[in-house]
Amino acid sequence: MQFKVVCCKLFVSLTLIAILLACANTTRSGAVGVNRSQFLAVSASEVDRLSAISFNEQNKKAKEKNILITSGPTYDRLKLISNRLIAQTGVFRDDTRQWNWQLVLINAPILNATCAPGGKITFYTGLIEKLNLNDDEIAAIMGHEIAHALREHGRERLSQAMAQSAVVNIAMAAAGSYGSAIGAANQAAQYILVLPNSRQNESEADAIGLELAARAGYNPQAAISVWQKMNQITQGKGSPEFLSTHPSGDTRIEQLSQLMPAVEPLYFSAPKPAVNK
Ligand SMILES: [Zn+2]
């Protein structure tokens, strides 16, 4: 009887520890005040490893098609903006200096941009050209994508999927062949980058992205013009990739507007980029 009670107490304690370990807040709240406990049952290193495999596969395929851009004026423009944004990520968490940040530009008429876990940024030329994005607007989109990575939204979504047994082969990937690792990585990427983000995750990425851009010296008002342009170009033409993963609610622009008083002072006092197109 006594043993049973001890066992039961031990079980409850271990369960509580497991839940406490699984629930964490990945970022500091910043001026925009993002603060929510997250369910994180998959390790960050495993998510980063699978994301890196998926990122490398994407780049390998793009290189084979001769559409991978890693130099030149547009790439350099993106690199400058990304460097300024990355320099501000320490506001939200301490470990980003150790991240292996990467940036690729893919020459394709696709309206999309992503930042995979661990800081793997992908931009498509179609997004920049079709929306005729200025630097402030590129910073708004890139800041939003980087914010998803800082908040580890991909890891959170994968954790939720695994808790529901929707993903079965991720856990086996570590012991498997390179081929099975790619399969697992692609499956993980579906949850991390392809399925629509929740409204809550979107709001968090909007808020943190806005603060990153403002602190990096980019006008936060550009986040609003990006969504106005996105809405205009997509009217009657179906949803581009970016909108399929970033559901555009009527409240998004309104929420961004409400955050301006918190981020505009940061923008006004921030050093500005030398050339702002
Ligand atoms: Zn998003």
Side-chain angles (χ1 to χ4, degrees), residues 144-145 148 197 202 246:
H144 174 103
E145 292 307 317
H148 277 308
N197 292 294
E202 281 304 291
H246 292 80

Coordinates of all heavy atoms in Angstrom, one line a residue, residues 144-145 148 197 202 246, ligand 1:
H144 N 8.8 39.0 -39.9 CA 7.7 38.1 -39.5 C 8.2 36.7 -39.6 O 7.9 35.9 -38.7 CB 6.6 38.4 -40.5 CG 5.4 37.4 -40.3 ND1 4.2 37.8 -39.6 CD2 5.2 36.2 -40.7 CE1 3.4 36.8 -39.6 NE2 4.0 35.8 -40.3
E145 N 8.9 36.3 -40.6 CA 9.3 34.9 -40.8 C 10.4 34.5 -39.7 O 10.3 33.4 -39.2 CB 9.9 34.7 -42.2 CG 8.9 34.8 -43.3 CD 7.7 33.9 -43.1 OE1 7.9 32.7 -42.7 OE2 6.5 34.3 -43.2
H148 N 8.7 33.7 -36.5 CA 8.2 32.3 -36.4 C 9.4 31.4 -35.9 O 9.1 30.5 -35.0 CB 7.8 31.8 -37.7 CG 6.4 32.2 -38.1 ND1 5.3 32.0 -37.3 CD2 5.9 32.8 -39.2 CE1 4.2 32.4 -37.9 NE2 4.5 32.9 -39.1
N197 N -0.6 28.6 -40.6 CA -0.3 28.9 -39.2 C -1.6 29.2 -38.4 O -2.5 29.7 -39.0 CB 0.6 30.1 -39.1 CG 2.0 29.8 -39.7 OD1 2.8 29.0 -39.1 ND2 2.4 30.4 -40.8
E202 N 0.3 33.6 -35.9 CA 0.5 34.7 -36.8 C 0.5 36.0 -36.1 O 1.4 36.9 -36.4 CB -0.7 34.7 -37.8 CG -0.6 33.7 -38.9 CD 0.7 33.9 -39.6 OE1 0.8 34.9 -40.3 OE2 1.6 33.0 -39.5
H246 N -0.4 31.9 -44.5 CA -0.6 33.1 -43.6 C -2.0 33.6 -43.8 O -2.1 34.6 -44.5 CB 0.5 34.2 -44.0 CG 1.8 33.8 -43.6 ND1 2.6 33.0 -44.3 CD2 2.6 34.1 -42.5 CE1 3.8 32.8 -43.7 NE2 3.8 33.5 -42.6
Ligands
ZN1 ZN 3.4 33.8 -40.5

